Amino acid sequence: MNRRSFLTTTAATATLAATGGFAFAPSIARAQNQAVKVAFVGTLSGPGATLGTHLRDGWLAGVTRLNNQLGGRAVETLVIDDELKPDVAVSKVRAALERDKVDFVVGVVFSNMLQAIVRPVTESNTFLITANAGPSTLAGKGCSPFLFSSAYQNDQPHATMGQAAQDMGYKRVFILVPNYQAGKDAVAGFRSRYKGEVVDEIYVPLSQLDFSTEVTKIAAAKPDAVFTFMPGALGVNLVRQYRQAGLANIPFLSTFTVDESTLPAQGDAALDFYTAATWAPNFDNPQSRRFVQEFEAAYGYVPSNFAAHAYDAAHMLDAAIRRANGDVANKAALRTALEAGDFPSVRGALRLGPNHFPIQDFWLCKVAKRPDGKFQTETVRKVLTADADSYAASCKMG
């Protein structure tokens, strides 16, 4: 089943937003006012669109696996393109809350988008499940009873790579990240566990695609390794230019730079480059194997962590609504059910911390080429076990 037919067969569940717009799919369940309404928010246009597509498709794959239901109730998904513009995101999310009366908001690729919408959502006593973005500002003092994560706190994958760099004995590292909250969290996370020398620390605009200046600086610095966080199109261009500049002999340590959302465009240029993640497509557990098989059959590409975490978000909500006996208006029961964190994850066993972010294992992964010619990340070794983010202690919620 290809991607188009998959979306068509789930038309009662979700509809794809037109560029800049959004709409609910027709459904019998809606007419009966029995459907759970979910607003999915993602970046579906511009440079970050590939990430938003993985996130959206992961959510839809999860809902499909659950027979187009959450907690035994029919579900409608409102797909919102945030356009990577905070004001646009807020406007569309407010409309979803006030006009469309959605029961939940899920998704969110970029941290600045989550920071923009978190107050309108949580202050309306609506649960927001972030399937990717996890800025430090919302994991500590800014935590909320209505904010949950099916992914991680931003620092954690980067801290994993910092620990990996420390374990591999690299003494001098060059750091390159985009200049926004998640980039700053990346550096904080990496430095929290890497104790060697940082020879340079460069921040670039989130829209930058030409890295010739930075590549030249890396070559001149001659570090033992490079650590970078460059999501989406930024990562595609950086990896190509890094390989073309002949720097592949300098170990490339990254997060969200070489993954299944970028590998189709990066191809051989990314081979043997490292990343840190909570999950990889070669995870050997029943939930993960089923997810990868069904996702690839439906969409024709290899799922990334973005897709996996959104898939898990669907299962998280399904388990919680079921535990609340299908009553999505019972906020106290839903919160207790969500906090239980007892849903089948593609990552295996995990639990939620006091700030509603997962406590889980983190892995060092490496880019590989499969026998069928497709690229994917594969686990090298577990770096952190049952890791909790460092901000949870500052979270005080009633």
Side-chain angles (χ1 to χ4, degrees), residues 301-334:
Y301 66 88
V302 185
S304 65
N305 271 252
F306 298 97
H309 294 153
Y311 183 87
D312 272 358
H315 286 79
M316 175 188 284
L317 271 182
D318 175 67
I321 295 171
R322 198 173 298 279
R323 284 175 64 98
N325 296 317
D327 186 0
V328 297
N330 189 337
K331 305 295 185 177
L334 275 174

Side-chain angles (χ1 to χ4, degrees), residues 19-21 42-46 80-85 88-89 92 113:
T19 302
T43 303
L44 298 169
S45 58
I80 297 175
D81 178 9
D82 62 33
E83 302 177 35
L84 200 52
K85 298 174 182 176
V88 171
K92 291 182 178 181
M113 295 299 100

Side-chain angles (χ1 to χ4, degrees), residues 40-41 51-63 66 70 106-108 129-132 149-151 291 295 304-317 343 346-347:
F40 170 89
V41 180
L51 307 183
T53 297
H54 272 251
L55 208 69
R56 180 200 64 205
D57 292 350
W59 167 261
L60 294 177
V63 170
L66 294 165
L70 291 178
V106 303
V108 194
I129 315 295
T130 171
N132 185 63
S149 171
S150 65
F291 163 58
F295 189 96
S304 65
N305 271 252
F306 298 97
H309 294 153
Y311 183 87
D312 272 358
H315 286 79
M316 175 188 284
L317 271 182
F343 63 95
V346 297
R347 289 161 278 181

Side-chain angles (χ1 to χ4, degrees), residues 188-210:
F190 183 83
R191 282 180 172 272
S192 72
R193 289 183 176 268
Y194 176 69
K195 304 307 177 184
E197 177 188 358
V198 174
V199 297
D200 205 348
E201 184 174 311
I202 295 179
Y203 293 82
V204 301
L206 191 56
S207 59
Q208 180 161 324
L209 297 177
D210 180 3

Side-chain angles (χ1 to χ4, degrees), residues 279 281-295 346:
W279 174 87
N282 71 326
F283 259 42
D284 192 17
N285 67 62
Q287 183 82 351
S288 179
R289 289 194 300 269
R290 183 170 56 235
F291 163 58
V292 173
Q293 180 181 5
E294 293 178 352
F295 189 96
V346 297

Side-chain angles (χ1 to χ4, degrees), residues 108-121:
V108 194
V109 177
F110 292 96
S111 294
N112 55 339
M113 295 299 100
L114 181 60
Q115 289 171 314
I117 70 169
V118 66
R119 287 189 64 183
V121 177

